[in-house]
Amino acid sequence: MPAADAFFAGSPFQLTGYRQAFARLGERFDRPARERAARALQPTSNAARARLARWVEDGGAVVTTGQQAGLFGGPLYTVHKILTAVRLAAVLERELGALVLPVFWVASEDHDWAEVDHTDLVDAHDRLRRIRLANPADARPLPMSERRLDGSVEAALAELRQASSRQGLVPAALDTVEAAYRPGTGMATAFGELIAALFARFDLLITDAADPALKHASLPTLTAELDAGRRPETALQQRAHDLLAAGYHAQVTLLPGAPNLFLRTDYGRERLHARDGGFVAPDSRTELSAAALQALARAEPGRLSPNVLLRPVVESAVFPVLAYVGGPGEISYFAQLAPLFTAHAVEMPRVFPRASLSLVPRRIGRLLDELGLDRRAPLREGRDRLAAALVRAAAPPHLAAALARLRVDLTEGFEELIDGGEAFAPPLGAALAAHRNRTLAELARAEQTLLKHVRLREAARLRQLDRVLAHLAPYGAPQDRVLNVFSYLADGGDDLLHRVAACVPDPFSA
């Protein structure tokens, strides 16, 4: 919407802006800069490797997206983000006449175990199932690049195989999952290997937030963030105020006086706070002067990592990013970031919304038709309203009509009686109104008794509704925010991802 565009680098749907940004990126990213960037990129195919080599030689840009290292690939929105980035990169490459590479950022420095220790699937009986890893023995907030899988991953893999196999069909990609997720392997490493295998046919390139080459390339941005004079705290606060004034909200809460950085300590990954001209990591009580922290960053660049606000700036400082593909939450926090990009003299990319798709197996499509529902109804209406409507529609028409007539007759009869009672003696009118309310409540209980019997007769259809909801509104949320792709790979076959990719709309279609 035009009002929101003011908080971003420009509309993601206008090619003119991309052409202008591409020209500016070409001036900033010379061959040495592209060589540094290429060292942090891992091709997923021979074709991707050849394209990367050409990109270093001839120049170009990238379209990026990313995600934290969720179990077995995480929710479907990871798939949709990658395929949107692939599609956008291909269209921009065609329109600009230069190489545009799709890049996936593995957010391996995130440390919230509870967000990535599980995945949700719909099993062969169309029932929701959550697969969860055991809590790690080491309770420190370790980045996923350091978090190692333990023996519980073997039980999780067995459950994944059982849950995602249908009618004897086993997704071929399960072998890839089992090869990636091995006890002793890093959580982020396993995630990256699976993404690389699933999307090799799309010539994707992958970068890992903890990769030493990326850490080295991002060091100037990280150390600049330590300079209190360059931290745009006032401008960021003003941007948050402007968002609120425009009717939006600030997605990320700002920490006054602090750099947008974490420090790896013996305690784990800690947010840095500014104090007395230096810095402190409060959980481990680590205190460092500004000079000491600068020296530490240069000696061990892997010790510093950006927070959610600074990460996009780091990405665009290291890579010539034309566009970032994100979901609704990410788009919201990008609206806060212009002052931070400006402070680091980095151009903010266009933020392109990921495709929002639902995968509907044929059997679920048939159930939708049988229940008289469209694909959006489960999220729009919710389970209670849909079930109530289904039951009411199944009630015998003559009984439903009798109840409706009785309600009208009672209401009209009581109104006449109450009016007459009030005229005779006002207290009598109030007493009769109370009798009316009790009678109508009793009628409502009679209706519920009828619907209870209808519900018993309609149990099979209600089970069909629950099967539909498990796919299209799991836990009441959109499918792509919850379910894993392995819910659909057995049904969809090896070409499922290509068929999903074909459904990603043309970014610049009218």
PDB file of all heavy atoms in Angstrom, residues 9-39:
ATOM      1  N   ALA A   9      12.530   0.907   0.974  1.00  0.00           N
ATOM      2  CA  ALA A   9      13.412   1.449  -0.050  1.00  0.00           C
ATOM      3  C   ALA A   9      12.663   1.797  -1.323  1.00  0.00           C
ATOM      4  O   ALA A   9      13.169   2.525  -2.169  1.00  0.00           O
ATOM      5  CB  ALA A   9      14.522   0.442  -0.354  1.00  0.00           C
ATOM      6  N   GLY A  10      11.469   1.273  -1.453  1.00  0.00           N
ATOM      7  CA  GLY A  10      10.681   1.500  -2.661  1.00  0.00           C
ATOM      8  C   GLY A  10       9.761   0.327  -2.871  1.00  0.00           C
ATOM      9  O   GLY A  10       9.851  -0.704  -2.191  1.00  0.00           O
ATOM     10  N   SER A  11       8.855   0.459  -3.820  1.00  0.00           N
ATOM     11  CA  SER A  11       7.911  -0.615  -4.094  1.00  0.00           C
ATOM     12  C   SER A  11       8.652  -1.839  -4.640  1.00  0.00           C
ATOM     13  O   SER A  11       9.479  -1.710  -5.557  1.00  0.00           O
ATOM     14  CB  SER A  11       6.866  -0.164  -5.111  1.00  0.00           C
ATOM     15  OG  SER A  11       6.103  -1.277  -5.560  1.00  0.00           O
ATOM     16  N   PRO A  12       8.350  -3.030  -4.125  1.00  0.00           N
ATOM     17  CA  PRO A  12       8.999  -4.227  -4.645  1.00  0.00           C
ATOM     18  C   PRO A  12       8.411  -4.691  -5.971  1.00  0.00           C
ATOM     19  O   PRO A  12       8.902  -5.665  -6.554  1.00  0.00           O
ATOM     20  CB  PRO A  12       8.732  -5.264  -3.552  1.00  0.00           C
ATOM     21  CG  PRO A  12       7.437  -4.838  -2.948  1.00  0.00           C
ATOM     22  CD  PRO A  12       7.444  -3.341  -3.000  1.00  0.00           C
ATOM     23  N   PHE A  13       7.392  -3.999  -6.457  1.00  0.00           N
ATOM     24  CA  PHE A  13       6.700  -4.444  -7.670  1.00  0.00           C
ATOM     25  C   PHE A  13       6.965  -3.534  -8.869  1.00  0.00           C
ATOM     26  O   PHE A  13       6.294  -3.660  -9.894  1.00  0.00           O
ATOM     27  CB  PHE A  13       5.191  -4.532  -7.401  1.00  0.00           C
ATOM     28  CG  PHE A  13       4.842  -5.446  -6.256  1.00  0.00           C
ATOM     29  CD1 PHE A  13       4.398  -4.926  -5.056  1.00  0.00           C
ATOM     30  CD2 PHE A  13       4.986  -6.816  -6.382  1.00  0.00           C
ATOM     31  CE1 PHE A  13       4.084  -5.752  -3.989  1.00  0.00           C
ATOM     32  CE2 PHE A  13       4.675  -7.651  -5.331  1.00  0.00           C
ATOM     33  CZ  PHE A  13       4.230  -7.131  -4.130  1.00  0.00           C
ATOM     34  N   GLN A  14       7.927  -2.613  -8.753  1.00  0.00           N
ATOM     35  CA  GLN A  14       8.238  -1.716  -9.860  1.00  0.00           C
ATOM     36  C   GLN A  14       9.673  -1.952 -10.339  1.00  0.00           C
ATOM     37  O   GLN A  14      10.627  -1.776  -9.582  1.00  0.00           O
ATOM     38  CB  GLN A  14       8.052  -0.261  -9.418  1.00  0.00           C
ATOM     39  CG  GLN A  14       6.612   0.091  -9.101  1.00  0.00           C
ATOM     40  CD  GLN A  14       6.432   1.543  -8.677  1.00  0.00           C
ATOM     41  OE1 GLN A  14       7.404   2.283  -8.540  1.00  0.00           O
ATOM     42  NE2 GLN A  14       5.192   1.945  -8.472  1.00  0.00           N
ATOM     43  N   LEU A  15       9.802  -2.314 -11.594  1.00  0.00           N
ATOM     44  CA  LEU A  15      11.116  -2.663 -12.143  1.00  0.00           C
ATOM     45  C   LEU A  15      12.059  -1.465 -12.210  1.00  0.00           C
ATOM     46  O   LEU A  15      13.281  -1.641 -12.103  1.00  0.00           O
ATOM     47  CB  LEU A  15      10.937  -3.257 -13.542  1.00  0.00           C
ATOM     48  CG  LEU A  15      10.624  -4.754 -13.592  1.00  0.00           C
ATOM     49  CD1 LEU A  15      10.173  -5.155 -14.982  1.00  0.00           C
ATOM     50  CD2 LEU A  15      11.848  -5.565 -13.177  1.00  0.00           C
ATOM     51  N   THR A  16      11.523  -0.273 -12.348  1.00  0.00           N
ATOM     52  CA  THR A  16      12.392   0.907 -12.464  1.00  0.00           C
ATOM     53  C   THR A  16      13.302   1.030 -11.252  1.00  0.00           C
ATOM     54  O   THR A  16      14.504   1.314 -11.374  1.00  0.00           O
ATOM     55  CB  THR A  16      11.547   2.180 -12.608  1.00  0.00           C
ATOM     56  OG1 THR A  16      10.719   2.058 -13.772  1.00  0.00           O
ATOM     57  CG2 THR A  16      12.430   3.408 -12.733  1.00  0.00           C
ATOM     58  N   GLY A  17      12.749   0.807 -10.070  1.00  0.00           N
ATOM     59  CA  GLY A  17      13.553   0.898  -8.852  1.00  0.00           C
ATOM     60  C   GLY A  17      14.659  -0.140  -8.815  1.00  0.00           C
ATOM     61  O   GLY A  17      15.777   0.156  -8.356  1.00  0.00           O
ATOM     62  N   TYR A  18      14.376  -1.329  -9.291  1.00  0.00           N
ATOM     63  CA  TYR A  18      15.413  -2.371  -9.330  1.00  0.00           C
ATOM     64  C   TYR A  18      16.538  -1.983 -10.290  1.00  0.00           C
ATOM     65  O   TYR A  18      17.719  -2.221  -9.998  1.00  0.00           O
ATOM     66  CB  TYR A  18      14.807  -3.712  -9.759  1.00  0.00           C
ATOM     67  CG  TYR A  18      13.939  -4.367  -8.713  1.00  0.00           C
ATOM     68  CD1 TYR A  18      12.550  -4.330  -8.822  1.00  0.00           C
ATOM     69  CD2 TYR A  18      14.493  -5.035  -7.620  1.00  0.00           C
ATOM     70  CE1 TYR A  18      11.740  -4.941  -7.872  1.00  0.00           C
ATOM     71  CE2 TYR A  18      13.688  -5.644  -6.666  1.00  0.00           C
ATOM     72  CZ  TYR A  18      12.316  -5.595  -6.798  1.00  0.00           C
ATOM     73  OH  TYR A  18      11.529  -6.194  -5.857  1.00  0.00           O
ATOM     74  N   ARG A  19      16.174  -1.416 -11.423  1.00  0.00           N
ATOM     75  CA  ARG A  19      17.208  -1.022 -12.399  1.00  0.00           C
ATOM     76  C   ARG A  19      18.126   0.048 -11.810  1.00  0.00           C
ATOM     77  O   ARG A  19      19.359  -0.009 -11.970  1.00  0.00           O
ATOM     78  CB  ARG A  19      16.548  -0.513 -13.680  1.00  0.00           C
ATOM     79  CG  ARG A  19      15.835  -1.593 -14.481  1.00  0.00           C
ATOM     80  CD  ARG A  19      15.453  -1.106 -15.870  1.00  0.00           C
ATOM     81  NE  ARG A  19      14.866  -2.180 -16.659  1.00  0.00           N
ATOM     82  CZ  ARG A  19      13.560  -2.372 -16.822  1.00  0.00           C
ATOM     83  NH1 ARG A  19      12.707  -1.537 -16.254  1.00  0.00           N
ATOM     84  NH2 ARG A  19      13.115  -3.377 -17.549  1.00  0.00           N
ATOM     85  N   GLN A  20      17.548   1.012 -11.118  1.00  0.00           N
ATOM     86  CA  GLN A  20      18.364   2.065 -10.514  1.00  0.00           C
ATOM     87  C   GLN A  20      19.245   1.506  -9.396  1.00  0.00           C
ATOM     88  O   GLN A  20      20.428   1.861  -9.295  1.00  0.00           O
ATOM     89  CB  GLN A  20      17.442   3.161  -9.977  1.00  0.00           C
ATOM     90  CG  GLN A  20      16.688   3.904 -11.080  1.00  0.00           C
ATOM     91  CD  GLN A  20      15.582   4.792 -10.534  1.00  0.00           C
ATOM     92  OE1 GLN A  20      15.220   4.711  -9.350  1.00  0.00           O
ATOM     93  NE2 GLN A  20      15.038   5.658 -11.395  1.00  0.00           N
ATOM     94  N   ALA A  21      18.684   0.641  -8.564  1.00  0.00           N
ATOM     95  CA  ALA A  21      19.468   0.052  -7.475  1.00  0.00           C
ATOM     96  C   ALA A  21      20.577  -0.838  -8.035  1.00  0.00           C
ATOM     97  O   ALA A  21      21.689  -0.870  -7.494  1.00  0.00           O
ATOM     98  CB  ALA A  21      18.553  -0.753  -6.564  1.00  0.00           C
ATOM     99  N   PHE A  22      20.300  -1.549  -9.122  1.00  0.00           N
ATOM    100  CA  PHE A  22      21.313  -2.428  -9.715  1.00  0.00           C
ATOM    101  C   PHE A  22      22.511  -1.617 -10.193  1.00  0.00           C
ATOM    102  O   PHE A  22      23.666  -2.029 -10.010  1.00  0.00           O
ATOM    103  CB  PHE A  22      20.696  -3.204 -10.880  1.00  0.00           C
ATOM    104  CG  PHE A  22      21.664  -4.117 -11.576  1.00  0.00           C
ATOM    105  CD1 PHE A  22      22.076  -5.298 -10.991  1.00  0.00           C
ATOM    106  CD2 PHE A  22      22.183  -3.782 -12.819  1.00  0.00           C
ATOM    107  CE1 PHE A  22      22.975  -6.137 -11.622  1.00  0.00           C
ATOM    108  CE2 PHE A  22      23.081  -4.608 -13.465  1.00  0.00           C
ATOM    109  CZ  PHE A  22      23.475  -5.793 -12.862  1.00  0.00           C
ATOM    110  N   ALA A  23      22.260  -0.454 -10.764  1.00  0.00           N
ATOM    111  CA  ALA A  23      23.368   0.384 -11.230  1.00  0.00           C
ATOM    112  C   ALA A  23      24.226   0.843 -10.063  1.00  0.00           C
ATOM    113  O   ALA A  23      25.465   0.839 -10.140  1.00  0.00           O
ATOM    114  CB  ALA A  23      22.817   1.589 -11.998  1.00  0.00           C
ATOM    115  N   ARG A  24      23.599   1.206  -8.956  1.00  0.00           N
ATOM    116  CA  ARG A  24      24.365   1.652  -7.787  1.00  0.00           C
ATOM    117  C   ARG A  24      25.145   0.501  -7.160  1.00  0.00           C
ATOM    118  O   ARG A  24      26.284   0.666  -6.717  1.00  0.00           O
ATOM    119  CB  ARG A  24      23.430   2.286  -6.762  1.00  0.00           C
ATOM    120  CG  ARG A  24      22.817   3.616  -7.238  1.00  0.00           C
ATOM    121  CD  ARG A  24      22.090   4.320  -6.113  1.00  0.00           C
ATOM    122  NE  ARG A  24      20.939   3.572  -5.632  1.00  0.00           N
ATOM    123  CZ  ARG A  24      19.704   3.694  -6.124  1.00  0.00           C
ATOM    124  NH1 ARG A  24      19.472   4.524  -7.131  1.00  0.00           N
ATOM    125  NH2 ARG A  24      18.708   3.003  -5.611  1.00  0.00           N
ATOM    126  N   LEU A  25      24.550  -0.684  -7.122  1.00  0.00           N
ATOM    127  CA  LEU A  25      25.259  -1.846  -6.563  1.00  0.00           C
ATOM    128  C   LEU A  25      26.485  -2.185  -7.400  1.00  0.00           C
ATOM    129  O   LEU A  25      27.519  -2.601  -6.867  1.00  0.00           O
ATOM    130  CB  LEU A  25      24.311  -3.055  -6.492  1.00  0.00           C
ATOM    131  CG  LEU A  25      23.229  -3.006  -5.408  1.00  0.00           C
ATOM    132  CD1 LEU A  25      22.263  -4.173  -5.579  1.00  0.00           C
ATOM    133  CD2 LEU A  25      23.850  -3.039  -4.021  1.00  0.00           C
ATOM    134  N   GLY A  26      26.362  -2.034  -8.712  1.00  0.00           N
ATOM    135  CA  GLY A  26      27.506  -2.314  -9.577  1.00  0.00           C
ATOM    136  C   GLY A  26      28.689  -1.411  -9.283  1.00  0.00           C
ATOM    137  O   GLY A  26      29.852  -1.825  -9.405  1.00  0.00           O
ATOM    138  N   GLU A  27      28.413  -0.187  -8.867  1.00  0.00           N
ATOM    139  CA  GLU A  27      29.500   0.741  -8.531  1.00  0.00           C
ATOM    140  C   GLU A  27      30.171   0.348  -7.218  1.00  0.00           C
ATOM    141  O   GLU A  27      31.376   0.536  -7.051  1.00  0.00           O
ATOM    142  CB  GLU A  27      28.930   2.159  -8.416  1.00  0.00           C
ATOM    143  CG  GLU A  27      28.395   2.708  -9.731  1.00  0.00           C
ATOM    144  CD  GLU A  27      27.677   4.035  -9.549  1.00  0.00           C
ATOM    145  OE1 GLU A  27      27.635   4.522  -8.383  1.00  0.00           O
ATOM    146  OE2 GLU A  27      27.160   4.580 -10.534  1.00  0.00           O
ATOM    147  N   ARG A  28      29.405  -0.192  -6.294  1.00  0.00           N
ATOM    148  CA  ARG A  28      29.960  -0.512  -4.971  1.00  0.00           C
ATOM    149  C   ARG A  28      30.628  -1.876  -4.932  1.00  0.00           C
ATOM    150  O   ARG A  28      31.611  -2.076  -4.221  1.00  0.00           O
ATOM    151  CB  ARG A  28      28.839  -0.447  -3.926  1.00  0.00           C
ATOM    152  CG  ARG A  28      29.329  -0.625  -2.496  1.00  0.00           C
ATOM    153  CD  ARG A  28      28.320  -0.066  -1.511  1.00  0.00           C
ATOM    154  NE  ARG A  28      27.088  -0.814  -1.445  1.00  0.00           N
ATOM    155  CZ  ARG A  28      26.887  -1.840  -0.608  1.00  0.00           C
ATOM    156  NH1 ARG A  28      27.842  -2.238   0.202  1.00  0.00           N
ATOM    157  NH2 ARG A  28      25.730  -2.464  -0.597  1.00  0.00           N
ATOM    158  N   PHE A  29      30.107  -2.828  -5.706  1.00  0.00           N
ATOM    159  CA  PHE A  29      30.627  -4.195  -5.658  1.00  0.00           C
ATOM    160  C   PHE A  29      31.510  -4.457  -6.872  1.00  0.00           C
ATOM    161  O   PHE A  29      31.058  -4.957  -7.902  1.00  0.00           O
ATOM    162  CB  PHE A  29      29.479  -5.209  -5.572  1.00  0.00           C
ATOM    163  CG  PHE A  29      28.907  -5.340  -4.187  1.00  0.00           C
ATOM    164  CD1 PHE A  29      27.912  -4.474  -3.758  1.00  0.00           C
ATOM    165  CD2 PHE A  29      29.383  -6.297  -3.301  1.00  0.00           C
ATOM    166  CE1 PHE A  29      27.393  -4.573  -2.482  1.00  0.00           C
ATOM    167  CE2 PHE A  29      28.866  -6.406  -2.022  1.00  0.00           C
ATOM    168  CZ  PHE A  29      27.877  -5.546  -1.601  1.00  0.00           C
ATOM    169  N   ASP A  30      32.789  -4.110  -6.728  1.00  0.00           N
ATOM    170  CA  ASP A  30      33.754  -4.413  -7.786  1.00  0.00           C
ATOM    171  C   ASP A  30      34.170  -5.875  -7.670  1.00  0.00           C
ATOM    172  O   ASP A  30      33.669  -6.627  -6.834  1.00  0.00           O
ATOM    173  CB  ASP A  30      34.961  -3.482  -7.686  1.00  0.00           C
ATOM    174  CG  ASP A  30      35.629  -3.529  -6.318  1.00  0.00           C
ATOM    175  OD1 ASP A  30      35.311  -4.446  -5.517  1.00  0.00           O
ATOM    176  OD2 ASP A  30      36.460  -2.648  -6.033  1.00  0.00           O
ATOM    177  N   ARG A  31      35.117  -6.273  -8.512  1.00  0.00           N
ATOM    178  CA  ARG A  31      35.503  -7.684  -8.511  1.00  0.00           C
ATOM    179  C   ARG A  31      36.046  -8.150  -7.160  1.00  0.00           C
ATOM    180  O   ARG A  31      35.652  -9.228  -6.680  1.00  0.00           O
ATOM    181  CB  ARG A  31      36.520  -7.961  -9.621  1.00  0.00           C
ATOM    182  CG  ARG A  31      36.869  -9.450  -9.655  1.00  0.00           C
ATOM    183  CD  ARG A  31      37.940  -9.808 -10.644  1.00  0.00           C
ATOM    184  NE  ARG A  31      38.268 -11.215 -10.466  1.00  0.00           N
ATOM    185  CZ  ARG A  31      38.062 -12.156 -11.347  1.00  0.00           C
ATOM    186  NH1 ARG A  31      37.515 -11.866 -12.506  1.00  0.00           N
ATOM    187  NH2 ARG A  31      38.409 -13.403 -11.085  1.00  0.00           N
ATOM    188  N   PRO A  32      36.934  -7.420  -6.482  1.00  0.00           N
ATOM    189  CA  PRO A  32      37.387  -7.889  -5.165  1.00  0.00           C
ATOM    190  C   PRO A  32      36.237  -8.076  -4.180  1.00  0.00           C
ATOM    191  O   PRO A  32      36.238  -9.032  -3.395  1.00  0.00           O
ATOM    192  CB  PRO A  32      38.348  -6.788  -4.710  1.00  0.00           C
ATOM    193  CG  PRO A  32      38.866  -6.196  -5.982  1.00  0.00           C
ATOM    194  CD  PRO A  32      37.705  -6.241  -6.927  1.00  0.00           C
ATOM    195  N   ALA A  33      35.243  -7.184  -4.223  1.00  0.00           N
ATOM    196  CA  ALA A  33      34.091  -7.329  -3.332  1.00  0.00           C
ATOM    197  C   ALA A  33      33.287  -8.568  -3.689  1.00  0.00           C
ATOM    198  O   ALA A  33      32.798  -9.289  -2.809  1.00  0.00           O
ATOM    199  CB  ALA A  33      33.207  -6.084  -3.400  1.00  0.00           C
ATOM    200  N   ARG A  34      33.156  -8.841  -5.002  1.00  0.00           N
ATOM    201  CA  ARG A  34      32.418 -10.043  -5.406  1.00  0.00           C
ATOM    202  C   ARG A  34      33.190 -11.305  -5.025  1.00  0.00           C
ATOM    203  O   ARG A  34      32.583 -12.319  -4.655  1.00  0.00           O
ATOM    204  CB  ARG A  34      32.142 -10.005  -6.911  1.00  0.00           C
ATOM    205  CG  ARG A  34      31.215  -8.876  -7.337  1.00  0.00           C
ATOM    206  CD  ARG A  34      30.675  -9.089  -8.743  1.00  0.00           C
ATOM    207  NE  ARG A  34      31.717  -9.159  -9.753  1.00  0.00           N
ATOM    208  CZ  ARG A  34      32.222  -8.098 -10.388  1.00  0.00           C
ATOM    209  NH1 ARG A  34      31.808  -6.871 -10.075  1.00  0.00           N
ATOM    210  NH2 ARG A  34      33.149  -8.235 -11.318  1.00  0.00           N
ATOM    211  N   GLU A  35      34.504 -11.243  -5.097  1.00  0.00           N
ATOM    212  CA  GLU A  35      35.301 -12.398  -4.685  1.00  0.00           C
ATOM    213  C   GLU A  35      35.122 -12.681  -3.202  1.00  0.00           C
ATOM    214  O   GLU A  35      35.007 -13.845  -2.787  1.00  0.00           O
ATOM    215  CB  GLU A  35      36.782 -12.162  -5.014  1.00  0.00           C
ATOM    216  CG  GLU A  35      37.100 -12.215  -6.503  1.00  0.00           C
ATOM    217  CD  GLU A  35      38.535 -11.862  -6.787  1.00  0.00           C
ATOM    218  OE1 GLU A  35      39.196 -11.269  -5.907  1.00  0.00           O
ATOM    219  OE2 GLU A  35      39.008 -12.164  -7.912  1.00  0.00           O
ATOM    220  N   ARG A  36      35.116 -11.621  -2.394  1.00  0.00           N
ATOM    221  CA  ARG A  36      34.886 -11.816  -0.954  1.00  0.00           C
ATOM    222  C   ARG A  36      33.508 -12.418  -0.708  1.00  0.00           C
ATOM    223  O   ARG A  36      33.353 -13.325   0.116  1.00  0.00           O
ATOM    224  CB  ARG A  36      35.011 -10.486  -0.217  1.00  0.00           C
ATOM    225  CG  ARG A  36      36.431  -9.996  -0.025  1.00  0.00           C
ATOM    226  CD  ARG A  36      36.494  -8.850   0.965  1.00  0.00           C
ATOM    227  NE  ARG A  36      35.745  -7.684   0.520  1.00  0.00           N
ATOM    228  CZ  ARG A  36      36.248  -6.734  -0.267  1.00  0.00           C
ATOM    229  NH1 ARG A  36      37.504  -6.811  -0.700  1.00  0.00           N
ATOM    230  NH2 ARG A  36      35.510  -5.695  -0.614  1.00  0.00           N
ATOM    231  N   ALA A  37      32.518 -11.910  -1.423  1.00  0.00           N
ATOM    232  CA  ALA A  37      31.164 -12.432  -1.254  1.00  0.00           C
ATOM    233  C   ALA A  37      31.077 -13.889  -1.688  1.00  0.00           C
ATOM    234  O   ALA A  37      30.443 -14.716  -1.019  1.00  0.00           O
ATOM    235  CB  ALA A  37      30.178 -11.581  -2.053  1.00  0.00           C
ATOM    236  N   ALA A  38      31.726 -14.224  -2.802  1.00  0.00           N
ATOM    237  CA  ALA A  38      31.643 -15.588  -3.335  1.00  0.00           C
ATOM    238  C   ALA A  38      32.241 -16.604  -2.378  1.00  0.00           C
ATOM    239  O   ALA A  38      31.795 -17.761  -2.329  1.00  0.00           O
ATOM    240  CB  ALA A  38      32.340 -15.660  -4.690  1.00  0.00           C
ATOM    241  N   ARG A  39      33.247 -16.203  -1.620  1.00  0.00           N
ATOM    242  CA  ARG A  39      33.857 -17.138  -0.669  1.00  0.00           C
ATOM    243  C   ARG A  39      32.881 -17.543   0.434  1.00  0.00           C
ATOM    244  O   ARG A  39      33.071 -18.572   1.078  1.00  0.00           O
ATOM    245  CB  ARG A  39      35.124 -16.525  -0.065  1.00  0.00           C
ATOM    246  CG  ARG A  39      36.305 -16.506  -1.016  1.00  0.00           C
ATOM    247  CD  ARG A  39      37.604 -16.195  -0.294  1.00  0.00           C
ATOM    248  NE  ARG A  39      37.709 -14.785   0.056  1.00  0.00           N
ATOM    249  CZ  ARG A  39      38.233 -13.843  -0.728  1.00  0.00           C
ATOM    250  NH1 ARG A  39      38.710 -14.168  -1.941  1.00  0.00           N
ATOM    251  NH2 ARG A  39      38.301 -12.588  -0.332  1.00  0.00           N
TER     252      ARG A  39
END
